[in-house]
């Protein structure tokens, strides 16, 4: 596969002509291998003629056009009008609107933290009874998505407020198939296999990993992703959750062990391109370039789905799931991110929208274009525009546990502050326990 995930623009150009064939619908109803039965059943159950659904979120530009292409089917099915407004300052705007009692019907949150805060303040409406059961039964790792969308209401009681829609995967390892084939390397299926492959590459005279933490003021964040993945591969998900919530301290021995798991890769001179000293100073955007040199400067790069944006033009790239330890028996955990929808302005149309995004068609319309992954196990994955998107979605569908990026859920001073800088300190030689204690002391100081 030659970097084929980013071909959505061509597909959009192709489907633009289709939109003219059926008014504002980009895929004519009844054509193609979409789940039209789900659309017809939803349409039969909902008549919202004359009503308006307002919605806001962080999606702008192409993403705004894509969500509007999905909303067109809701309009067609119900007779309602959807008004979507995207904002680069969504997080500030939605709080101001909620406080002024002028929030739209639906808000699309880029991560759960703000949604949880707004639920506790009484700004969100709980989703309908039975939604939790539906998510458990129809989403891969369904309980994970229920947990991520459940928050305390103003009385302190937990209720389901968030419905996840459009997900990103971070637990990926990128490589060059040409380099792997020439060296005779197989894709590792377990973490034990990955460690064995790492040692084999060293024995063969190569360098296994390219890792870079540089990112300007955000330097260090790639290391936090490594640590988060290692937490999910060495501890049960409830321990991960307790760490995120600081119910166990950052310097708990289990967290320190996960940091050292990352260090066993990043602080080994034989394992990383340029040696361990280069990890902290190498820009994350430049670090995967060594995959495609001849001979390869490195063979593997752990990074999220966006990283091919920084690959050389025409690079021969592929990816595999960052595997779990077979000996830990923790299933197939996946680290990622995603957006969730919540009702910020209660109305029949708002509840109908949540029912709509349960339908396969509400996922298939976007996934057939570009930039969309979903844990919905009722969709037709053959509709993905590229093999890469389909394979990423398979990783999501095979997940037994999904957890959100921990640094995004922690207080900003921790997750986007001392966690980042602390990982730089650790990578450049500081003791893991000392770094973790420093982070915990900062957390204690802001509570």
């Amino acid at each position: 596969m030659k970097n084929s995930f980013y071909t959505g623009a061509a597909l959009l150009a192709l489907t633009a002509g289709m939109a003219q064939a059926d008014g504002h619908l980009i895929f004519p109803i009844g054509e193609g291998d979409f789940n039209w039965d789900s659309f017809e059943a939803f349409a039969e159950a909902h008549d919202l003629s004359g009503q308006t659904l307002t919605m806001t979120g962080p999606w702008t530009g192409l993403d705004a056009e894509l969500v509007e292409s999905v909303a067109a089917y809701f309009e067609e099915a119900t007779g309602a009008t959807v008004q979507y407004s995207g904002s680069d300052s969504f997080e500030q705007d939605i709080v101001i609107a909620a406080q002024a009692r002028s929030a739209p019907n639906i808000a699309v949150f880029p991560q759960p933290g703000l949604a949880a805060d707004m639920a506790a303040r009484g700004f969100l409406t709980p989703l309908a009874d039975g939604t939790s059961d539906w998510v458990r039964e129809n989403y891969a790792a369904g309980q994970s998505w229920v947990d991520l969308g459940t928050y305390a209401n103003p009385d302190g009681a937990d209720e389901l407020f968030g419905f996840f829609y459009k997900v990103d995967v971070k637990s990926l390892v990128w490589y060059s198939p040409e380099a792997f084939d020439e060296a005779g390397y197989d894709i590792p299926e377990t973490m034990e296999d990955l460690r064995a492959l790492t040692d084999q590459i060293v024995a063969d005279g190569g360098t296994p990993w390219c890792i870079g933490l540089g990112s300007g003021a955000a330097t260090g964040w790639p290391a936090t992703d490594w640590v988060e993945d290692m937490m999910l591969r060495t501890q049960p998900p409830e321990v991960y959750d307790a760490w995120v919530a600081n119910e166990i301290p950052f310097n708990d021995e289990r967290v320190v062990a996960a940091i050292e798991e990352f260090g066993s890769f990043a602080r080994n001179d034989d394992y990383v391109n340029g040696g361990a000293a280069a990890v902290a100073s190498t820009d994350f955007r430049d670090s995967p370039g060594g995959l495609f040199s001849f001979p390869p400067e490195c063979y593997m790069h752990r990074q999220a789905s966006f990283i091919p944006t920084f690959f050389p033009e025409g690079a021969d790239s592929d990816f595999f799931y960052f595997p779990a330890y077979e000996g830990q028996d923790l299933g197939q955990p996946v680290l990622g991110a995603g957006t969730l929808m919540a009702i910020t302005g209660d109305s029949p149309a708002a509840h109908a929208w949540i029912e709509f995004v349960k339908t396969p068609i509400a996922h298939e319309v976007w996934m057939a274009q570009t930039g969309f992954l979903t844990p919905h196990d009722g969709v037709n994955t053959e509709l993905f525009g590229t093999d890469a998107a389909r394979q990423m979605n398979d990783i999501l569908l095979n997940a037994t546990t999904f957890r959100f990026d921990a640094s995004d859920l922690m207080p900003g001073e921790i997750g986007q502050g001392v966690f980042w800088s602390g990982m730089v300190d650790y990578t450049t030689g500081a003791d893991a326990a000392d770094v973790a204690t420093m982070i915990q002391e900062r957390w204690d100081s802001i509570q």
Side-chain angles (χ1 to χ4, degrees):
M1 168 177 42
K2 296 185 180 292
N3 204 16
S4 57
F5 187 56
Y6 296 86
T7 58
L11 184 58
L12 281 176
L14 174 65
T15 56
M18 296 175 63
Q20 299 174 8
D22 195 10
H24 61 302
L25 302 181
I26 196 165
F27 301 109
I29 294 172
E31 296 187 14
D33 294 326
F34 297 85
N35 192 322
W36 295 118
D37 288 345
S38 71
F39 174 82
E40 297 292 350
F42 176 80
E44 290 176 7
H46 296 86
D47 183 358
L48 303 171
S49 299
Q51 298 187 38
T52 298
L53 175 78
T54 54
M55 177 166 39
T56 189
W59 297 324
T60 60
L62 176 59
D63 278 342
E65 295 176 18
L66 287 161
V67 72
E68 288 166 353
S69 75
V70 175
Y73 290 85
F74 179 82
E75 295 177 321
E76 183 75 15
T78 65
T81 299
V82 178
Q83 296 176 352
Y84 173 78
S85 175
S87 172
D88 290 330
S89 56
F90 163 80
E91 288 87 345
Q92 294 76 34
D93 294 345
I94 190 61
V95 173
I96 293 170
Q99 290 172 337
R101 304 297 175 185
S102 60
N105 300 122
I106 296 289
V108 183
F109 291 86
Q111 52 108 326
L114 178 57
D117 179 64
M118 291 185 65
R121 298 173 66 183
F123 292 146
L124 303 187
T125 298
L127 303 186
D129 291 345
T131 305
S132 295
D133 291 337
W134 185 93
V135 173
R136 291 187 190 95
E137 294 169 4
N138 292 277
Y139 268 23
Q143 185 61 49
S144 294
W145 301 106
V146 172
D147 294 343
L148 286 166
T150 299
Y151 319 119
N153 65 19
D155 296 326
D158 286 343
E159 295 186 275
L160 183 69
F161 288 99
F163 187 95
F164 277 84
Y165 177 84
K166 189 176 185 297
V167 177
D168 299 309
V169 172
K170 291 191 172 188
S171 299
L172 303 174
V173 178
W174 296 85
Y175 70 102
S176 165
E178 182 178 355
F180 259 53
D181 289 346
E182 184 169 331
Y185 299 142
D186 295 325
I187 302 302
E189 296 184 359
T190 67
M191 184 62 72
E192 289 89 346
D193 291 341
L194 181 62
R195 286 189 172 278
L197 174 59
T198 296
D199 288 332
Q200 182 62 51
I201 292 171
V202 172
D204 292 343
T207 301
W209 292 94
C210 35
I211 305 174
L213 307 187
S215 187
T219 291
W221 71 259
T224 69
D225 284 0
W226 269 89
V227 173
E228 290 154 6
D229 253 333
M230 288 305 188
M231 277 292 290
L232 290 173
R233 281 151 183 76
T234 57
Q235 301 298 328
E238 55 268 23
V239 174
Y240 183 93
D241 297 340
W243 169 53
V244 170
N246 204 218
E247 293 169 0
I248 63 171
F250 213 104
N251 55 353
D252 182 279
E253 62 182 9
R254 293 164 291 185
V255 182
V256 172
I259 295 172
E260 291 174 338
E261 287 275 327
F262 160 62
S264 68
F265 290 92
R267 300 206 330 178
N268 186 323
D269 285 332
D270 292 335
Y271 281 3
V272 288
N273 188 24
V279 171
S281 59
T282 300
D283 192 284
F284 84 93
R285 288 156 286 215
D286 299 331
S287 58
L291 296 173
F292 310 109
S293 62
F294 184 81
E297 296 176 6
C298 52
Y299 282 84
M300 294 177 287
H301 181 67
R302 185 230 155 274
Q303 190 49 274
S305 56
F306 69 83
I307 197 61
T309 301
F310 304 106
F311 289 173
E313 184 176 355
D316 176 41
S317 67
D318 205 340
F319 59 87
F320 57 85
Y321 168 67
F322 189 54
Y325 280 105
E326 184 176 28
Q328 293 285 357
D329 195 26
L330 291 172
Q332 297 275 93
V334 170
L335 178 71
T339 50
L340 66 98
M341 294 181 170
I343 298 174
T344 43
D346 198 5
S347 74
H351 287 279
W353 176 264
I354 298 299
E355 291 302 311
F356 176 65
V357 291
K358 292 179 182 178
T359 66
I361 197 68
H363 299 245
E364 291 171 346
V365 167
W366 194 329
M367 60 190 256
Q369 297 177 73
T370 185
F372 187 90
L373 300 178
T374 176
H376 195 316
D377 59 16
V379 301
N380 178 8
T381 58
E382 293 303 313
L383 292 169
F384 278 110
T386 67
D387 289 339
R390 187 177 305 108
Q391 291 167 17
M392 284 185 194
N393 209 80
D394 285 345
I395 289 173
L396 198 55
L397 292 177
N398 288 327
T400 56
T401 298
F402 184 94
R403 282 298 183 267
F404 216 89
D405 182 291
S407 62
D408 285 344
L409 299 179
M410 294 172 179
E413 190 172 339
I414 305 302
Q416 290 84 55
V418 291
F419 193 5
W420 288 352
S421 60
M423 289 305 95
V424 174
D425 293 342
Y426 170 67
T427 304
T428 54
D431 179 74
D434 290 344
V435 169
T437 297
M438 178 272 295
I439 296 172
Q440 183 57 44
E441 289 173 348
R442 181 68 62 85
W443 207 326
D444 291 339
S445 73
I446 65 173
Q447 292 178 347

